Amino acid sequence: NALQYKFWIARQNNYLEDRNPQWYSKGCLRRLKQMVWEGTETGEPSRLDNYMNYVLLLNAVVVVAESAQDLEHITKYDSVFTAIEFAFSWAYVVEFVILILAM
């Protein structure tokens, strides 16, 4: 039964923060942590969530445009779409790194 399942909550402090709290008390790591966690206590999406939602929406638009190009057998913009896909891949890698650092 799903109601009997014990849910766990992710900790906000990661291993690095437990070992070196001074790194997270100032500077860019503190700002990253605020960007990831700010507002989540009230159920609001964080600034990072909002940013990544726009990235995801833009990525969807690019996928549709690239699919339309492929259906029309147009190869003129293949290198442009390859570069854009590469940029989106890096955006998702950066998001992952930020989340790991801010956990």
Side-chain angles (χ1 to χ4, degrees):
N1 192 344
L3 296 177
Q4 295 175 346
Y5 185 76
K6 292 184 180 183
F7 293 97
W8 59 274
I9 298 173
R11 298 176 342 141
Q12 285 191 3
N13 295 347
N14 66 16
Y15 176 80
L16 290 174
E17 187 173 4
D18 289 341
R19 296 287 185 243
N20 302 298
Q22 68 275 9
W23 289 359
Y24 283 83
S25 64
K26 57 186 172 216
C28 70
L29 289 176
R30 181 180 52 83
R31 288 192 297 274
L32 280 178
K33 192 165 182 165
Q34 286 175 341
M35 184 173 65
V36 170
W37 291 104
E38 196 172 77
T40 57
E41 298 86 15
T42 60
E44 295 293 319
S46 68
R47 286 186 292 159
L48 181 65
D49 288 338
N50 285 333
Y51 170 74
M52 291 310 296
N53 286 339
Y54 287 117
V55 170
L56 188 61
L57 181 63
L58 187 58
N59 192 1
V61 170
V62 169
V63 166
V64 169
E66 185 179 19
S67 297
Q69 173 199 333
D70 288 342
L71 289 173
E72 297 293 325
H73 304 291
I74 301 170
T75 59
K76 181 178 179 181
Y77 301 107
D78 282 348
S79 61
V80 173
F81 282 114
T82 300
I84 292 172
E85 289 171 5
F86 188 72
F88 280 119
S89 296
W90 273 107
Y92 296 125
V93 167
V94 168
E95 176 200 20
F96 182 74
V97 169
I98 290 171
L99 289 172
I100 293 297
L101 288 173
M103 282 295 189

